[in-house]
Amino acid sequence: MQEKPYFCPNCRSNRVKFSMISSFSQSFLKDAISGTIQEVTEPQRIDETEPTIQCMVCSFTGNEMRFVKQAEREPRAGTPANPAYY
């Protein structure tokens, strides 16, 4: 995951609540007649070139760059760190 801000391209309100979705593969053999599971292998993680991110506000799911690019297109308006009052 990148150390860059995210912004949901769907709901356009979430900048903080996200989850990363991972994929696993697990093989198994079933009996053709009874349907009972006869053999199961250990789960293996499927390597992905880019993480899949889900917005926890609207449940939109997409690749990480969609969220990063949306944050770059619409940066959060910053407030001055040391405001001066006269």
Side-chain angles (χ1 to χ4, degrees):
M1 284 188 356
Q2 296 185 28
E3 290 285 328
K4 292 187 176 183
Y6 288 173
F7 187 37
C8 180
N10 187 54
C11 68
R12 298 175 66 149
S13 64
N14 182 24
R15 291 182 184 266
V16 286
K17 295 167 60 174
F18 301 96
S19 61
M20 184 174 67
I21 299 172
S22 300
S23 298
F24 290 87
S25 174
Q26 185 174 22
S27 301
F28 58 92
L29 295 175
K30 291 181 89 172
D31 181 82
I33 297 172
S34 68
T36 58
I37 297 175
Q38 297 177 332
E39 185 180 323
V40 179
T41 63
E42 290 294 317
Q44 295 179 352
R45 183 174 178 150
I46 298 172
D47 291 329
E48 298 176 20
T49 57
E50 189 173 349
T52 301
I53 305 298
Q54 181 178 31
C55 172
M56 293 180 65
V57 173
C58 70
S59 299
F60 174 77
T61 303
N63 63 7
E64 182 182 35
M65 284 310 295
R66 289 194 68 182
F67 290 86
V68 170
K69 291 296 183 185
Q70 186 66 31
E72 289 173 355
R73 278 192 290 276
E74 297 183 43
R76 180 149 180 104
T79 56
N82 296 319
Y85 298 102
Y86 299 102

